[in-house]
Amino acid sequence: MSTHKYRFEIVDSDHEQWDAYVQQHPSGSIFHSRAMIRVFAAVGSVNPRAMAAIDETGSIVALLVSCHVKTLRDFSSLSSRAVQYAEPLCDATPVGVAALQKLLIQHDEQMRGQALLCEVRSICEPGSERDALLRCGYDHRDYINYIVELDTSADELFSRINKNMRQKIRSTLRKGVELRDDNCVAGIGRLYQLLQSSYGRARVPLLGRELFEATLEHLPPGSVRIRTAFDGAKPIAAIVSLLYGGRVFSWYGGTLRLPALSPFACLVWDDIRWGLENGFSVYDFGGAGWPYEDYGPRKFKASFGGKEVRYGRYLLTYSKLRLRL
């Protein structure tokens, strides 16, 4: 599809229609919101880029939010990537698809010399954005996730959890592990220390603590939930979830490895039950790995009885030579 027969104005996230467009779009998420853009802007190693296309009537018809994530300050073009933490949005019309194509082309021209690749992490079923991404050269790949539809009773949801996992949850709670709300600066400190423990064991990069401090500062009240599991006075596991549009999104979590205790499983079940009791429709595990890779957390997430979905991810490599280097 040629984009030349349509005329668009490109604007940034300061546009007055931005959040309203995100809220009314079926795939709109917290990762598209202006508040989340401000969160990412507060992180030194992340440079968010948000843009929308306005049609001739003055209405937004497409938008995207991308984050340039840098791992090495001095070799950015060899060690950084552009990440869209949710798929771009567009109207389900030829105009919307053409507008998104224009946004993607402009985005990729800007990023080509600065990052190795762009990765789009879809969190909803594919829509019209898929056409625009494929036409712009993005490669779609299967990526596993699990979602729990919160459409029944808590007892029924608990019964769908793997029997062994149910036993671990009951046993851990019987041993006196307490789950507490921890939406505060001190809670961020406990969360981040536990994240460092888990991510360090897995040898996975972790963004700085300022990401989570900015989350509390910039996201609206009621859109972030931090819960910590305590064994006596000792924090042993923590989880942070993002709340938006009927979705509880499991964002980050960390835990100590302790014999005969499963505090993180207790936190996940607590999040699922809380989402049901508070009128949310979906609990989203936030990803469970590539199907061709042995991904440790996948078995844990699958044990909660959710539905496996493969909305996938899109990849566009800007330079195969730099990627090899």
Side-chain angles (χ1 to χ4, degrees):
M1 175 191 295
S2 172
T3 63
H4 297 300
K5 64 179 179 179
Y6 302 110
R7 299 186 65 180
F8 307 106
E9 178 188 357
I10 307 300
V11 299
D12 62 24
S13 58
D14 289 334
H15 193 277
E16 61 182 7
Q17 296 178 21
W18 186 281
D19 278 337
Y21 184 81
V22 173
Q23 289 166 6
Q24 62 82 32
H25 196 283
S27 300
S29 76
I30 197 165
F31 296 107
H32 299 106
S33 69
R34 287 195 285 193
M36 199 70 197
I37 295 167
R38 290 193 292 271
V39 169
F40 285 122
V43 183
S45 59
V46 178
N47 181 21
R49 299 172 184 236
M51 56 180 73
I54 309 297
D55 69 5
E56 293 179 340
T57 71
S59 299
I60 292 180
V61 291
L63 65 76
L64 66 79
V65 178
S66 174
C67 291
H68 184 199
V69 182
K70 307 167 189 175
T71 53
L72 293 176
R73 181 180 301 176
D74 296 330
F75 300 95
S76 177
S77 66
L78 294 176
S79 61
S80 66
R81 65 181 59 199
V83 180
Q84 297 185 41
Y85 290 101
E87 59 269 63
L89 308 179
C90 69
D91 285 3
T93 63
V95 175
V97 175
L100 181 53
Q101 280 184 253
K102 183 168 184 177
L103 292 178
L104 289 166
I105 290 168
Q106 180 168 315
H107 168 269
D108 295 332
E109 286 176 349
Q110 293 173 354
M111 294 306 304
R112 196 169 300 278
Q114 302 179 43
L116 293 172
L117 53 84
C118 181
E119 180 181 45
V120 179
R121 302 179 179 180
S122 299
I123 62 175
C124 294
E125 290 188 26
S128 298
E129 81 286 341
R130 179 186 177 96
D131 292 337
L133 286 159
L134 294 178
R135 289 169 185 167
C136 289
Y138 282 76
D139 177 29
H140 181 266
R141 301 182 186 181
D142 268 355
Y143 193 85
I144 298 173
N145 189 22
Y146 293 96
I147 60 172
V148 177
E149 295 176 343
L150 307 178
D151 57 359
T152 186
S153 67
D155 287 343
E156 175 61 23
L157 289 175
F158 192 69
S159 73
R160 295 176 184 176
I161 299 174
N162 174 278
K163 181 179 179 180
N164 184 48
M165 187 61 71
R166 294 200 307 268
Q167 291 173 342
K168 289 181 178 180
I169 293 170
R170 292 191 182 109
S171 173
T172 300
L173 294 175
R174 280 198 303 266
K175 291 173 181 176
V177 169
E178 294 185 24
L179 312 182
R180 305 175 194 169
D181 288 333
D182 222 2
N183 276 44
C184 59
V185 174
I188 292 292
R190 287 184 280 268
L191 167 70
Y192 198 72
Q193 188 172 23
L194 289 160
L195 291 178
Q196 287 177 309
S197 177
S198 288
Y199 279 67
R201 286 195 306 269
R203 297 183 180 180
V204 175
L206 176 66
L207 290 175
R209 174 172 167 162
E210 65 265 31
L211 171 67
F212 305 98
E213 294 171 339
T215 297
L216 277 189
E217 180 181 354
H218 295 293
L219 291 189
S223 59
V224 57
R225 185 173 192 252
I226 302 172
R227 294 277 280 170
T228 302
F230 289 84
D231 184 12
K234 181 180 181 180
I236 57 175
I239 192 169
V240 54
S241 297
L242 303 177
L243 317 170
Y244 186 94
R247 182 184 299 264
V248 179
F249 187 89
S250 182
W251 194 30
Y252 280 90
T255 184
L256 301 180
R257 286 182 174 173
L258 300 167
L261 291 178
S262 300
F264 195 72
C266 296
L267 288 170
V268 170
W269 165 240
D270 178 73
D271 246 8
I272 292 171
R273 181 175 57 188
W274 181 90
L276 172 68
E277 293 172 350
N278 286 273
F280 289 84
S281 56
V282 171
Y283 183 84
D284 188 327
F285 274 95
W290 305 104
Y292 50 82
E293 290 184 353
D294 183 18
Y295 181 63
R298 183 183 302 143
K299 184 177 180 181
F300 172 83
K301 295 181 179 185
S303 70
F304 282 84
K307 178 172 69 174
E308 180 182 306
V309 295
R310 298 195 180 194
Y311 301 146
R313 292 187 173 183
Y314 298 86
L315 295 174
L316 178 65
T317 300
Y318 295 132
S319 170
K320 293 182 180 180
L321 174 59
R322 282 190 285 121
L323 185 61
R324 286 197 299 269
L325 289 173

